[in-house]
Amino acid sequence: MRTFANWMIAMFMILYWGFRVVVAYMAANYSEFFVQPINLTVEIILLFVTVICIVLVFKRQIIGAIIYFLSYLAYFGLDLFNAILPVFSGGTLEADYMTAFTSFLGIILAFAVLVDLSIDKGRKPKDKKTDWFYTNKDYDRQFDDRADRNNYKTL
């Protein structure tokens, strides 16, 4: 985690995971909540997969972001597609607005994590202790033309 944006995206991952835990808990107890899970069994499996992905994202592994994005796209994308499809077929939007909004939010968050790790993968980490020496050309060894360049080895 190098920047503030990396930390914020990781914290939003954890907050959204906590929100989905509450949604799954409320659905398991048959309590009323403003968001209902699409499929409770798949939701619980997705919660465990998300924990593994969060650990991988904290370790800055791109595979964690890819799994996170694909699993959220498969789970929430189908729900969002089914919620918006009646609008395109000439009907009215009869879906649950909050469920559709949280599905959209989950997809956007997963995409942001994937983009964040993809952009960050090409950067070289800065080492402030040694970069001043190794990136500075003033400290390179200057050889004299008359210097002996033989590498003598003793047996």
Side-chain angles (χ1 to χ4, degrees):
M1 300 289 174
R2 294 181 185 93
T3 64
F4 181 69
N6 298 138
W7 278 104
M8 288 304 294
I9 288 175
M11 291 304 124
F12 280 129
M13 278 178 72
I14 293 171
L15 288 174
Y16 192 75
W17 177 80
F19 172 71
R20 295 312 295 186
V21 167
V22 171
V23 168
Y25 178 76
M26 295 298 276
N29 287 335
Y30 302 107
S31 301
E32 286 293 321
F33 199 60
F34 62 93
V35 177
Q36 297 297 323
I38 303 160
N39 184 347
L40 186 60
T41 307
V42 176
E43 180 90 21
I44 292 171
I45 293 169
L46 188 66
L47 288 173
F48 285 108
V49 169
T50 303
V51 168
I52 295 168
C53 291
I54 287 173
V55 170
L56 289 172
V57 167
F58 268 97
K59 291 183 175 185
R60 309 306 288 168
Q61 300 291 323
I62 191 77
I63 190 71
I66 292 171
I67 293 170
Y68 185 68
F69 177 68
L70 291 177
S71 62
Y72 270 40
L73 186 65
Y75 183 70
F76 294 119
L78 185 62
D79 180 51
L80 189 61
F81 179 74
N82 290 335
I84 295 177
L85 187 62
V87 174
F88 293 119
S89 63
T92 60
L93 185 63
E94 299 174 4
D96 184 14
Y97 296 114
M98 284 307 291
T99 303
F101 176 72
T102 56
S103 295
F104 178 72
L105 195 65
I107 292 171
I108 294 298
L109 178 63
F111 182 72
V113 169
L114 182 66
V115 168
D116 179 46
L117 278 178
S118 298
I119 290 173
D120 195 42
K121 205 59 177 167
R123 285 193 250 167
K124 178 186 167 200
K126 298 261 183 192
D127 186 10
K128 294 180 182 179
K129 295 177 184 174
T130 59
D131 274 357
W132 65 271
F133 181 79
Y134 288 110
T135 59
N136 194 346
K137 298 296 179 196
D138 293 338
Y139 293 106
D140 284 348
R141 181 184 275 183
Q142 300 294 327
F143 286 106
D144 190 7
D145 292 336
R146 300 169 293 163
D148 187 11
R149 291 192 177 87
N150 292 328
N151 295 324
Y152 298 105
K153 296 181 183 177
T154 59
L155 296 174

